[in-house]
Amino acid sequence: TDKGFLELFDIAHALLSKPTLRPVRIISQTMPVRGSEQYDGYTSKLYALRNVELLEPTITTEKMHRLYADCDIVLLPYAEDVYRLR
């Protein structure tokens, strides 16, 4: 995927295996339901990690603002080659 979704499991798992003084929680939207069936097993593995929270594929602007306000860091792992012209 072009937003790094398929990298989340490895990142979250690595964070769990090397605990820090302040736990890191990853919050991400899930993939759109239509067309992402091939990733269902992967998404289930993400749900099983205690430091991952998956949101619906579409969230409101208000929800996004609350998430920004409640977090310490925002990572936007967009692929430059995909989004360069957007």
Side-chain angles (χ1 to χ4, degrees):
T1 65
D2 59 9
K3 294 186 180 180
F5 186 76
L6 297 178
E7 308 298 324
L8 291 179
F9 182 85
D10 290 338
I11 294 167
H13 191 265
L15 288 167
L16 285 173
S17 67
K18 298 177 184 174
T20 60
L21 293 175
R22 186 167 187 186
V24 176
R25 203 170 102 229
I26 296 173
I27 301 173
S28 176
Q29 290 173 269
T30 56
M31 307 261 296
V33 175
R34 180 175 287 150
S36 64
E37 295 83 5
Q38 64 190 11
Y39 303 111
D40 286 351
Y42 175 81
T43 302
S44 294
K45 286 176 30 177
L46 280 175
Y47 274 114
L49 293 173
R50 68 178 182 272
N51 62 339
V52 174
E53 178 183 342
L54 295 176
L55 306 173
E56 295 298 317
T58 303
I59 60 174
T60 65
T61 300
E62 293 79 16
K63 173 75 174 177
M64 194 75 214
H65 289 169
R66 281 194 309 275
L67 290 166
Y68 285 144
D70 292 344
C71 74
D72 295 315
I73 298 172
V74 176
L75 298 178
L76 303 171
Y78 293 107
E80 183 180 343
D81 59 323
V82 174
Y83 289 93
R84 175 181 24 240
L85 301 175
R86 292 186 185 182

